[in-house]
Amino acid sequence: RVLFRSPNCVEILDNLGLRKVNNKVIHYELQCGIDFRYMTQEKASALKRNRFINIRLAWDYAYSDVYSIFDCIKFLTNAGYNPKHIQVFMICNWKIPLYEVMAKLETLKRWNVQVSDCWFDNQLPPDIEPVEWTKEEIKFYREQGRNHNIMSRHNGIQVEYLKQNKKKVNFTLLK
């Protein structure tokens, strides 16, 4: 996350874009979520221009950051990223209650952006121990997150329809 705070961020990204290995271009990926507070259109365009893939951003705090998150996603889509291929990290089982995380999920659904849940205290499924949420809330959210991502990847088609699709209909062609 430090990269985006740097006054030389675009210069650093452009320098990475010039590098090659065995005369082949390199594709980059940011493992941590981009801090939306430091994103600009110039930085988003530099990411795309310099072959950064699998873009993720972090929405760690309150739902009230929704407009800033929207701006960050808009910068990325204006730069050429498909919203279906953008993921948003949200900390789960933490101080943000389930109802607020679910509101974020609903908003991301409208924007057709995927969610990538990360669990407080670096816990990993299926061994998530309740910290701020109950076991039932954790199970419910994991199911909702999976369904959300399937719908994002399949143009809003719900999981039940995909499971019942015995005729192998290509839903993406039905518009």
Side-chain angles (χ1 to χ4, degrees):
R1 294 186 186 193
V2 175
L3 172 63
F4 289 90
R5 282 190 248 161
S6 168
N8 301 327
C9 176
V10 173
E11 182 182 322
I12 293 167
L13 294 172
D14 285 338
N15 184 291
L16 289 170
L18 297 173
R19 295 174 186 240
K20 294 183 178 187
V21 173
N22 295 329
N23 212 25
K24 294 182 181 178
V25 298
I26 302 169
H27 290 86
Y28 299 97
E29 187 171 340
L30 300 169
Q31 292 297 311
C32 296
I34 295 167
D35 189 330
F36 65 88
R37 297 173 295 181
Y38 303 103
M39 180 56 75
T40 64
Q41 186 61 62
E42 184 182 21
K43 292 173 185 175
S45 296
L47 285 169
K48 184 67 173 175
R49 178 174 64 247
N50 295 297
R51 299 174 305 282
F52 279 78
I53 59 172
N54 301 325
I55 296 298
R56 300 170 189 92
L57 62 121
W59 191 356
D60 292 341
Y61 300 107
Y63 184 84
S64 59
D65 290 329
V66 66
Y67 296 110
S68 298
I69 295 294
F70 177 78
D71 289 343
C72 185
I73 292 170
K74 187 174 178 184
F75 293 146
L76 293 164
T77 56
N78 286 346
Y81 288 102
N82 184 332
K84 286 184 186 184
H85 301 139
I86 297 172
Q87 292 184 358
V88 176
F89 282 125
M90 295 191 299
I91 298 178
C92 303
N93 195 22
W94 187 59
K95 296 188 187 303
I96 305 296
L98 175 64
Y99 72 86
E100 194 163 347
V101 172
M102 291 304 298
K104 292 179 186 182
L105 193 68
E106 280 300 311
T107 299
L108 294 172
K109 185 189 303 180
R110 286 194 303 274
W111 297 341
N112 207 26
V113 173
Q114 293 191 59
V115 66
S116 187
D117 51 356
C118 54
W119 297 88
F120 178 70
D121 227 4
N122 292 320
Q123 296 186 57
L124 297 173
D127 302 317
I128 301 168
E129 291 298 321
V131 177
E132 296 286 336
W133 294 4
T134 66
K135 276 235 186 255
E136 293 77 23
E137 288 174 323
I138 291 167
K139 182 178 178 184
F140 174 78
Y141 176 75
R142 291 199 64 224
E143 180 180 318
Q144 295 301 308
R146 276 192 307 276
N147 289 343
H148 166 86
N149 286 345
I150 291 168
M151 286 177 60
S152 291
R153 288 189 296 269
H154 296 282
N155 299 320
I157 303 299
Q158 293 180 334
V159 177
E160 305 86 58
Y161 295 117
L162 293 172
K163 287 180 181 175
Q164 294 172 5
N165 186 9
K166 299 191 189 295
K167 294 183 181 179
K168 306 288 186 228
V169 175
N170 183 347
F171 288 108
T172 60
L173 298 177
L174 302 175
K175 287 209 174 191

